[in-house]
Amino acid sequence: MWVRLWRDPVWRAVFFQVLLILGVVAVVAWVINNTLTNLEHRGISTGFDFLSQSAGFGIIQTLVEYDESQSFGRTFLVGLLNTLLVSFLGVIFATILGFLIGVARLSSNWLLARLASTYIEIFRNIPLLLQIFFWYFAVLGVLPSPRQSINFFDAIFLNVRGISLPWPILDSGMEIVVWAGIASLVLAMGVAGLCRNYRRTKGRPLPHIKVIIASVIIGLPLLTAWLTNAHLQWEMPVLRGFNFSGGLVILPELAALWFALSIYTAAFIAEVVRSGIESVSKGQKEAAAALGLKPRRVLSLVVIPQAMRVIIPPLTNQYLNLIKNSSLATAIGYPDLVSVFAGTTLNQTGQAVEVIAMTMAVYLTISLTVSVLMNLYNRWVSLVER
Amino acid sequence: MEQKMIPAREPPVNSRGILGWARENLFASPSQSLVTLALLYGLYLFIPPFWQWAVMDASWTGSSRSDCTTEGACWAFVTARLDQFIYGFYPDSEIWRVNLFFAQLAVVLGWLMIPRIPGKKMALVIGLLVLPVTSWLILTGSLLGLPPVETHQWGGLMVTLVLALYGMLASLPVGVLLALGRRSSMPVVRTFCTAYIELWRGVPLITVLFMASVMLPLFVPEEIVFDKLVRAMIGIVMFQSAYMAEVVRGGLQAIPRGQVEACQSLGMGYWQSMLLVVLPQAIRLVIPGIVNTFIALFKDTSLVLVIGLFDLLSIVQAGLNDPQWLGSAVEGYLFAGFVFWLFCFGMSQYSQRLEKH
Amino acid sequence: MEKMVREGQDPTSPVIQLKGVNKWYGNFHVLRDINLDVMRGEKIVICGPSGSGKSTLIRCINALEEHQEGQIIVDGTELNRDLKNIEKVRREVGMVFQQFNLFPHLTVLENCTLAPIWVRKASKKDAEKVAMEYLERVRIPDQADKYPGQLSGGQQQRVAIARSLCMNPEIMLFDEPTSALDPEMIKEVLDVMIELANEGMTMICVTHEMGFAKTVADRMIFMDQGQVVEEATPEVFFNNPESERTKEFLGQILIH
């Protein structure tokens, strides 16, 4: 009877799977048991109560209101927002740089192509952490003190405490102007849509359309500014005592992390872009040129749309890598999620399991969300191609 | 009418030789020429001063920063501490053991990578099974009657290599099992492997290292104490095996279904067909991918700095805080960067060469 | 290893029996009530239009595909959910595929010795001796140390036949063995198959090579839409088929 069951593939599969479940459950139970015993011996409490306790430490960069009296839960939010900030800045800069270098890599200018590939080979083969240290300790760390700041036009000051920039003051009058700017962009997009429609039905472009769109974008905000009599005021950084105050200060920690992340990731994005463009066969370009399309149209109508389909999935992967790599912040003390929450908060509370689980959950959520979106995109692309 | 054959002529002068090449590749149009000139000017601004600083004016020996000139690079920082950068705090009298480890590695890698030398299978067996054991015995000194050297005395390039190599060797079999599991027909096995892979691929290595260093001791009974290096290694293997699994899975997908069917028709079972037929082909197919994940791992070992291990980068970083050498950051990072770059660039060239064949 | 006549087996009873075999792919009914007896030493050729289920049928005989209803008994062993039976049948039944399915990472000789060594637990030396004998029979002993990628399609298919024979099978299944070959290579493979047939091997071939069928077949089977439409000796089948569907099919392929 048992021998018969053992030789039956269906029963055998059931047996293995039950065994696996039991094994995993046993290991997990063992781990939980050990952890609880160990925590008890060390007098560490468990559970998520600590999130509402007062944190009692300061954070050097906060995007939302925060002070020492606020809770550990709040430090989670502050850290998360700082992670998102540097990731966002990094993604933008890395994309621009990566696309430029990727295209330069394929340039017919030999020198430009060589330099681009030198860039790629240098920066992707050196550990990111080393690059972060280089920017932080070897470049930004040796800048002069605030009193001897490197000064650009008396407005931008570079010193060891960071980069101070003027920052616009948004009073109520200015707010209207900003809204007018947004409205003009929407309007311009509408006009552009109309003229595309016109062109499709009439077969020729609307006359002076570029001038009209440009004047909407520039004119409308200017007009509102004039009507409401608002004028833009800048808050200038001013040296007070040993440091600058006022304006916007980019901390050296943020700057170093931002540069290093962007420059490192740009090397990978450049490779993604290059292989994307190369994946469009020469025949496609020749066919388009043979139809009489101008080189610029060949690029914008035939090559880029096809290349983008190849580029987007690995590009998204690079963005995810950048977000995950931003956790290296902790090595130079930029207050990101890992540094603030899995660093300081963990040390203060000792609740390693909860803190690390929450931190991992954040990254996991971002990764899984993006990969679900990517799967949808891939399905959509394969539908379109058929 | 008589048809005369046209003899082959040389191409016009302006498409020949260096001038022709430059005309075509550097000065094809006015805008191209402008770009070329701008780039040349940029290089002129950067390279000669760098050369002057890094080589001409540099100081190569000395025992503190004050022995160096102010206008040139202070390579004395590197030369004075080179032993530490390579061997960490390994006792001077025992350094031959680390050198033996390096030598073993060089021999086996050379054997594997140079196509002309025969006996690749033998080299693979030695590299995957014998070398890790002998290296561990030599480095720790256990069982051989050598004076024991504890892992907290290890450091520098040696730790970087140990972490990367052992991380790789252990994650390969785990990754293969996970990849097979993810393609299994048993839903529970498949779900488990997929969840494991996606979990580790979705989080940064640094959180995994934190977990290994802070949480691992909580997970096991108090009597079991892991060495810090071993904890880092466990973290690295958990993380790396997920990436390895995805690489191997790519190879498995590329093997046609007919291969397994042929095995079945010959009476071979699942493990026989996998081990003898499918995996040898799949792994050979993804060697470039494996080398690439190894490069990533090699760079990532520098993260062990955050849990207090001294790999190459963190030992250089520690050296920079020495009051005698303050201000040598650029030299230190350039040196460490160059060593990492040499390894990574070399491996990526190797993997690209494999991909072309 | 020499070919043994197994004792205690009745030479007059069928070596393969299919009773009321049915199979579905999802909702698609691929095999419908198949009944077939194959006698020891008998040569059967199965033909029919593509998608008629002929490949699926022979793949069921060595359990590469699972049937859902009915019985398949090979040499006294029933193919059911018992792994032991499946292993036993697969050891006794050889199969040759349309796409050869040689192992590209092994030499020709290693291809032939792999299963004898690991499944039959033969020594390497014995396995190689047997393999060389069969490679000589398929007339490519000189290619033994080459890799499959270095051989022509016809040579590869002959290696595939030798590989199966090395397991010393009672029965050989051929799944369109010449369909992936260039025309000039078809003959060299068919010659080997004819030789094998003359030696008394039990064979089931799915093929469109009607010349081969006329030469060796004891029985022709015509399948369409998952069922056996016609079953007859070659003389009757080619000269005087019963069903309209068979006539139409023969008309289509014999014109060429």
Side-chain angles (χ1 to χ4, degrees), chain A residues 107-118:
Chain A
S107 162
S108 57
N109 186 317
W110 180 83
L111 189 59
L112 186 58
R114 294 290 355 157
L115 283 176
S117 81
T118 309

Side-chain angles (χ1 to χ4, degrees), chain A residues 311-382:
Chain A
I311 289 173
I312 282 176
L315 184 65
T316 325
N317 230 344
Q318 290 306 329
Y319 290 163
L320 278 182
N321 283 345
L322 189 148
I323 295 172
K324 283 186 272 172
N325 282 335
S326 73
S327 60
L328 295 188
T330 180
I332 54 167
Y334 172 76
D336 82 321
L337 181 64
V338 172
S339 174
V340 170
F341 195 65
T344 320
T345 297
L346 191 155
N347 285 337
Q348 305 251 322
T349 60
Q351 292 194 257
V353 181
E354 294 88 343
V355 167
I356 289 184
M358 279 175 73
T359 311
M360 284 184 158
V362 167
Y363 289 101
L364 200 58
T365 313
I366 296 174
S367 297
L368 293 182
T369 314
V370 171
S371 67
V372 166
L373 290 178
M374 255 319 94
N375 284 343
L376 289 177
Y377 171 82
N378 283 335
R379 205 166 300 161
W380 176 75
V381 163
S382 62

Side-chain angles (χ1 to χ4, degrees), chain A residues 7-10 12, chain C residues 80-84:
Chain A
R7 285 180 353 203
D8 181 329
V10 175
R12 202 189 264 209
Chain C
N80 49 17
R81 278 169 41 180
D82 192 335
L83 279 177
K84 192 122 192 184

Side-chain angles (χ1 to χ4, degrees), chain B residues 211-224:
Chain B
M211 195 187 116
S213 92
V214 183
M215 282 159 76
L216 205 61
L218 294 177
F219 286 167
V220 294
E222 276 176 306
E223 308 84 73
I224 306 179

Side-chain angles (χ1 to χ4, degrees), chain A residues 123-300:
Chain A
F123 287 105
R124 71 170 183 183
N125 283 321
I126 293 177
L128 175 59
L129 187 60
L130 200 156
Q131 297 190 37
I132 293 175
F133 279 170
F134 182 83
W135 286 102
Y136 187 63
F137 292 112
V139 177
L140 299 176
V142 297
L143 286 174
S145 70
R147 277 165 184 276
Q148 278 91 41
S149 288
I150 302 170
N151 179 343
F152 298 96
F153 318 113
D154 272 336
I156 301 170
F157 299 93
L158 215 63
N159 58 54
V160 74
R161 300 276 180 82
I163 306 164
S164 296
L165 305 165
W167 189 246
I169 305 168
L170 288 181
D171 58 16
S172 57
M174 233 18 238
E175 232 167 61
I176 300 175
V177 179
V178 170
W179 283 113
I182 295 171
S184 69
L185 277 180
V186 174
L187 198 65
M189 271 190 258
V191 173
L194 277 181
C195 93
R196 215 174 298 137
N197 212 10
Y198 179 89
R199 186 174 174 165
R200 202 173 298 146
T201 47
K202 296 279 158 66
R204 65 196 145 87
L206 266 172
H208 311 305
I209 187 60
K210 280 177 190 161
V211 180
I212 295 173
I213 291 180
S215 54
V216 167
I217 293 178
I218 299 167
L220 197 58
L222 280 182
L223 193 69
T224 12
W226 181 68
L227 284 177
T228 57
N229 200 17
H231 34 79
L232 187 57
Q233 291 196 327
W234 294 88
E235 189 188 292
M236 304 299 280
V238 186
L239 184 65
R240 290 223 179 85
F242 292 104
N243 205 354
F244 279 87
S245 70
L248 174 75
V249 182
I250 300 177
L251 293 177
E253 288 81 12
L254 173 62
L257 190 62
W258 179 22
F259 292 161
L261 277 175
S262 312
I263 289 173
Y264 181 75
T265 314
F268 290 89
I269 292 180
E271 278 296 272
V272 167
V273 170
R274 180 187 64 89
S275 61
I277 295 178
E278 278 182 342
S279 74
V280 181
S281 70
K282 217 176 150 204
Q284 291 286 320
K285 282 172 227 164
E286 287 172 350
L291 287 170
L293 290 174
K294 292 186 186 128
R296 225 189 67 204
R297 292 267 167 235
V298 172
L299 212 63
S300 68

